[in-house]
Amino acid sequence: TSKNALMEQLHLKYQQKPWSETLKLVHCCMDKPLQRPGSNAPDGPLLSCMEKIQRALNAKSLFSVMNRLESLSKQKGLNAHVSPSGTACYITSNMFYVEVQLDKDGEVTDVKLAHLGEDPVWHEQLFLFGRTKNYEAFGKILEDLSNMYQIPGNSEMKAKGYFALQALEKDLYSMSLLDRAQDVNRVTEVLHGKVGHLVPRTGGTPMNIEFYVSPYQVLEAELNPGSQVCGTKTVVTLEGTDTVHKLPLYPLLVDSQAGEDGHLAFLPLTDKLSMDMPAFFVLKFHQPIPMSSSSIEEIQRLTGTANKKKNHLISGIQITGLKLAPLYELIVQSTLKKKCSEDFSTQNSCFFVSLPDCPKHCYFINKGSEKSDIAGVLVSKIPFSHPKCVPGVIEILRHQVAFNSLISSCASEKAVKEDGDSEQLYFEVVPYKNTSFSVVFLHPVNENLACVLIDLITSREVQCHLHLNPEDPTLNSSDDFITRAVKRCMSVPVVMRAIFRNAAKAKADS
């Protein structure tokens, strides 16, 4: 192989030189931390080659493992020191250090992490990655730890930022325990918890909140016990800014119970409990979420990030794109990006959806125009400065993602029209207002149009109305039946199949 050929060339080149001299050369080359070079950097290929060699070497002895840890630390811009005994490696920065203990055979026996001013504690993930010599994952955690302190200022300011993040995490954890039954399952927490299903931060891996899961994901989890079905998540972190924000340095939630009106009680944000710093808290998403302008305005009101200039809807909220776009178009784009591994066309508006025991459905999604009232943006993160904002923001996010899942159920990668299928059923999805829309279709008996209006009031509450021409026969589907069907599956095609089945049954009975 090419790897073996490379090693053979290295052996031939240095076989006449003493091993100590070769070691001295390697240490000299690795003395400086490896920074990610730009594509045009002249030493880019050399540094890339050195990283590949490091990854290819199978460190087994104490000496080689120690060298690997030192090299990895320097690649991440950190310092590394070996203890006098030669069995401990200390990976340090100004804000934290990692202590790796090894035995004489180079096996990791203990890994501890200590932040500035804190006692060292055992770190399970770093320990496991060290034991299995998964240096890529080990290095990723070191990166995450460094990123926690990426705010402007000196070490004291960075430490205050860490204290602020800690305080927020403690308040969010306390909120997650409110009104929580002992035997509550994860799905209930995700859909109904004040802050969803919360997973605390471990070392440098940020705290994450799972706040929505679809009925199909719930069904998948029930059919496959032990499977880890993941819903929509956001991570909680701290980011540096150009402006100063007042952030709490201590937990503010008064106690573990909500007030009589259901609102949470917080301590006032005094100078003793807070500090002005060039940073804010952030809810960050792995994939940008299409959000309506009304949802964003509501979030801005909650978080106090609204822009006073009327023509600028977004202030502080990071978006991908410089202008508003029709919300339905953004939802379709986002859906196709997830479903299609190959290139996809964002111009398609007509999609085929296949369901078992049912004629093929063809959905035309009316995306609206640029000037449509139902506009939106792709949101990748939401800034805030007080823990009291989070429950309200989570509820808005649940509502938006639930609505997006309804619209996305009508979009598929099958966007090429297929001719000659007389059994096809055609539907048009038409925006109405905010989080309501109508599905227009041809009455299965007469040639008049029929319409189902779906209004998603919250992520858990929906109202549906079937509108028919007064002269047309009933479709044997009440508003209550359609509402329950939507809540059960959150899929427009499945609901429309149920309506047509009821109509066919009524026709057969008559």
Side-chain angles (χ1 to χ4, degrees):
T1 64
S2 58
K3 189 191 300 181
N4 292 335
L6 175 63
M7 297 305 296
E8 183 63 30
Q9 289 178 23
L10 288 172
H11 282 304
L12 290 173
K13 184 173 181 179
Y14 292 102
Q15 65 180 351
Q16 302 300 327
K17 297 185 178 182
W19 183 241
S20 59
E21 190 174 325
T22 303
L23 278 179
K24 190 183 297 182
L25 176 62
V26 172
H27 276 291
C28 180
C29 292
M30 302 299 293
D31 191 41
K32 294 182 179 179
L34 291 179
Q35 303 298 331
R36 293 283 176 187
S39 57
N40 297 325
D43 57 348
L46 174 61
L47 295 180
S48 175
C49 182
M50 290 172 68
E51 286 190 38
K52 288 179 181 178
I53 292 174
Q54 282 287 352
R55 287 197 298 267
L57 289 174
N58 186 14
K60 292 183 178 179
S61 68
L62 172 61
F63 178 78
S64 59
V65 171
M66 200 66 76
N67 276 346
R68 188 71 181 91
L69 290 173
E70 286 186 275
S71 171
L72 181 66
S73 305
K74 291 175 181 178
Q75 287 176 25
K76 304 303 179 185
L78 302 170
N79 300 313
H81 310 280
V82 179
S83 67
S85 65
T87 58
C89 181
Y90 294 90
I91 302 170
T92 66
S93 76
N94 292 336
M95 307 309 302
F96 67 90
Y97 75 86
V98 175
E99 177 186 342
V100 184
Q101 293 282 351
L102 302 102
D103 61 20
K104 57 183 177 61
D105 297 321
E107 293 295 326
V108 173
T109 59
D110 193 18
V111 180
K112 292 180 180 178
L113 167 67
H115 290 276
L116 188 67
E118 293 185 356
D119 294 328
V121 293
W122 184 62
H123 195 289
E124 182 180 8
Q125 287 180 309
L126 284 173
F127 174 75
L128 292 175
F129 294 145
R131 290 285 290 182
T132 57
K133 295 180 171 55
N134 186 346
Y135 294 112
E136 185 175 349
F138 194 100
K140 179 64 172 63
I141 293 180
L142 294 181
E143 278 185 23
D144 289 338
L145 285 167
S146 296
N147 290 338
M148 284 176 57
Y149 296 99
Q150 296 304 310
I151 66 172
N154 55 22
S155 296
E156 184 180 354
M157 181 61 73
K158 293 178 187 293
K160 295 294 185 184
Y162 176 68
F163 296 151
L165 181 62
Q166 267 191 325
L168 171 68
E169 291 170 342
K170 289 176 181 177
D171 274 338
L172 293 181
Y173 182 72
S174 297
M175 290 182 207
S176 72
L177 300 178
L178 295 175
D179 307 323
R180 178 179 174 180
Q182 289 186 347
D183 58 346
V184 67
N185 60 36
R186 184 176 67 90
V187 171
T188 302
E189 272 192 309
V190 170
L191 296 175
H192 302 279
K194 283 190 179 296
V195 289
H197 176 68
L198 185 147
V199 178
R201 172 175 54 86
T202 54
T205 305
M207 170 183 282
N208 72 75
I209 293 173
E210 187 179 5
F211 59 86
Y212 183 77
V213 60
S214 72
Y216 279 107
Q217 289 174 310
V218 174
L219 179 62
E220 185 180 345
E222 291 174 351
L223 295 177
N224 301 284
S227 64
Q228 197 64 17
V229 179
C230 292
T232 308
K233 292 182 178 181
T234 181
V235 297
V236 182
T237 184
L238 185 80
E239 286 194 359
T241 62
D242 296 331
T243 54
V244 173
H245 304 270
K246 187 179 287 293
L247 300 182
L249 297 177
Y250 302 93
L252 300 178
L253 194 64
V254 172
D255 53 39
S256 59
Q257 295 296 323
E260 293 181 3
D261 56 356
H263 289 88
L264 302 175
F266 293 91
L267 295 170
L269 206 59
T270 62
D271 290 339
K272 288 185 178 180
L273 298 178
S274 66
M275 180 178 176
D276 289 335
M277 59 182 72
F280 51 30
F281 303 129
V282 172
L283 295 178
K284 188 180 289 188
F285 309 104
H286 296 295
Q287 297 293 334
I289 295 178
M291 297 195 69
S292 68
S293 56
S294 58
S295 293
I296 291 172
E297 287 172 346
E298 202 172 345
I299 287 176
Q300 289 178 326
R301 181 182 56 78
L302 279 174
T303 59
T305 56
N307 196 324
K308 294 179 181 179
K309 295 181 180 179
K310 232 178 182 183
N311 295 331
H312 295 277
L313 177 68
I314 311 303
S315 170
I317 293 183
Q318 182 69 32
I319 60 171
T320 57
L322 301 176
K323 61 180 182 179
L324 296 172
L327 175 63
Y328 287 52
E329 182 177 344
L330 294 176
I331 295 173
V332 169
Q333 286 178 356
S334 180
T335 303
L336 294 181
K337 193 172 183 180
K338 291 177 184 175
K339 290 184 177 181
C340 305
S341 55
E342 301 176 358
D343 292 340
F344 60 90
S345 171
T346 58
Q347 303 303 315
N348 292 323
S349 297
C350 190
F351 304 97
F352 287 96
V353 179
S354 298
L355 295 172
D357 306 321
C358 174
K360 189 173 292 183
H361 288 197
C362 176
Y363 286 89
F364 175 78
I365 300 179
N366 187 329
K367 300 172 184 176
S369 66
E370 294 289 340
K371 297 180 180 180
S372 169
D373 292 336
I374 307 173
V377 292
L378 289 173
V379 178
S380 57
K381 59 185 177 183
I382 297 174
F384 62 101
S385 59
H386 198 289
K388 68 181 180 182
C389 306
V390 177
V393 171
I394 291 295
E395 194 56 41
I396 295 170
L397 289 171
R398 279 185 182 130
H399 190 189
Q400 184 69 63
V401 173
F403 176 77
N404 292 357
S405 67
L406 276 173
I407 303 301
S408 65
S409 69
C410 305
S412 75
E413 62 274 23
K414 297 177 182 177
V416 180
K417 188 167 184 178
E418 299 176 13
D419 298 323
D421 191 347
S422 59
E423 293 297 317
Q424 280 178 181
L425 300 176
Y426 291 88
F427 305 88
E428 182 179 7
V429 177
V430 183
Y432 181 52
K433 62 179 180 180
N434 293 334
T435 50
S436 62
F437 61 97
S438 61
V439 182
V440 182
F441 56 97
L442 201 63
H443 193 285
V445 178
N446 294 348
E447 293 186 356
N448 292 321
L449 291 177
C451 167
V452 173
L453 181 64
I454 300 175
D455 183 9
L456 194 67
I457 300 168
T458 70
S459 62
R460 296 173 291 273
E461 186 180 358
V462 63
Q463 287 183 355
C464 299
H465 301 284
L466 176 62
H467 299 277
L468 302 173
N469 188 308
E471 299 177 359
D472 289 340
T474 178
L475 294 181
N476 200 29
S477 292
S478 65
D479 289 350
D480 181 59
F481 168 82
I482 299 172
T483 297
R484 284 186 284 110
V486 171
K487 289 177 69 173
R488 189 180 302 122
C489 66
M490 294 299 286
S491 169
V492 173
V494 172
V495 171
M496 299 314 299
R497 180 181 64 177
I499 292 174
F500 271 74
R501 280 181 173 175
N502 284 356
K505 184 179 179 182
K507 184 179 179 182
D509 291 344
S510 64

